[in-house]
Amino acid sequence: MTTHVVATAGHVDHGKSTLVRALTGMEPDRWEEERRRGLTIDLGFVWTTLPSGREVAFVDVPGHGRCIRNALAGLATAPVVCFVVAADEGWSAQSTEHRDAIAALGISHGLIVVTKADRAPDLVAATIARARSELAQTGLHDAPAVAVSAMQNTGLDKFREVLADVLA
């Protein structure tokens, strides 16, 4: 069976590592400094098998602007991206940097993941709308969107289902 490679993209505090940790049960942050600071510095690699039977390897990329080179290295290896935007914080400057990176790399498969949906449920629709607007000129212009809360374990089954559809 083929293992599909999927990268994360998005702002530093929008929950990319928390999302892949919830999906896989594995810790993507390998360095002690990353865990201590709660900040991904280097690429993290975790994997799982979706209920559909598809094997997925996630490349968790750093979201901070100072780590953009590492983010580019991770994004360049993946044909599919989970573009993460937190409901409680919305689109940010780093979201724009990651959008521009996926556009430059020609990535055209992926999904929009609105994280922290439990913190701002009334902002989920607006967050999706803004992400769609921002991604309109990229290969993710028609990407499906899901809302999740990794901390509350909600929306993860829908995420797995939508990701399986994207990978198909």
Side-chain angles (χ1 to χ4, degrees), residues 34-104:
E34 290 177 308
R35 291 186 207 132
R36 187 180 72 250
R37 294 174 62 189
L39 172 75
T40 302
I41 299 168
D42 199 4
L43 302 175
F45 304 94
V46 294
W47 52 91
T48 192
T49 302
L50 298 175
S52 66
R54 293 185 188 282
E55 294 179 357
V56 180
F58 289 99
V59 180
D60 186 37
V61 306
H64 196 282
R66 287 181 281 187
C67 300
I68 195 68
R69 289 184 182 138
N70 285 356
L72 287 170
L75 290 169
T77 65
V80 179
V81 68
C82 293
F83 202 101
V84 175
V85 183
D88 64 339
E89 296 180 37
W91 196 267
S92 71
Q94 273 109 19
S95 301
T96 298
E97 290 174 357
H98 281 237
R99 178 206 59 206
D100 293 349
I102 63 163

Side-chain angles (χ1 to χ4, degrees), residues 74-160:
L75 290 169
T77 65
V80 179
V81 68
C82 293
F83 202 101
V84 175
V85 183
D88 64 339
E89 296 180 37
W91 196 267
S92 71
Q94 273 109 19
S95 301
T96 298
E97 290 174 357
H98 281 237
R99 178 206 59 206
D100 293 349
I102 63 163
L105 293 167
I107 297 171
S108 60
H109 299 288
L111 62 155
I112 299 164
V113 186
V114 176
T115 57
K116 304 181 185 183
D118 59 312
R119 292 187 183 181
D122 54 324
L123 297 177
V124 168
T127 304
I128 291 171
R130 173 75 187 270
R132 287 196 187 290
S133 173
E134 293 287 347
L135 295 167
Q137 301 302 314
T138 74
L140 297 184
H141 57 87
D142 288 330
V146 295
V148 304
S149 169
M151 299 303 288
Q152 299 293 322
N153 199 29
T154 58
L156 297 178
D157 289 339
K158 181 67 175 174
F159 171 90
R160 290 177 182 101

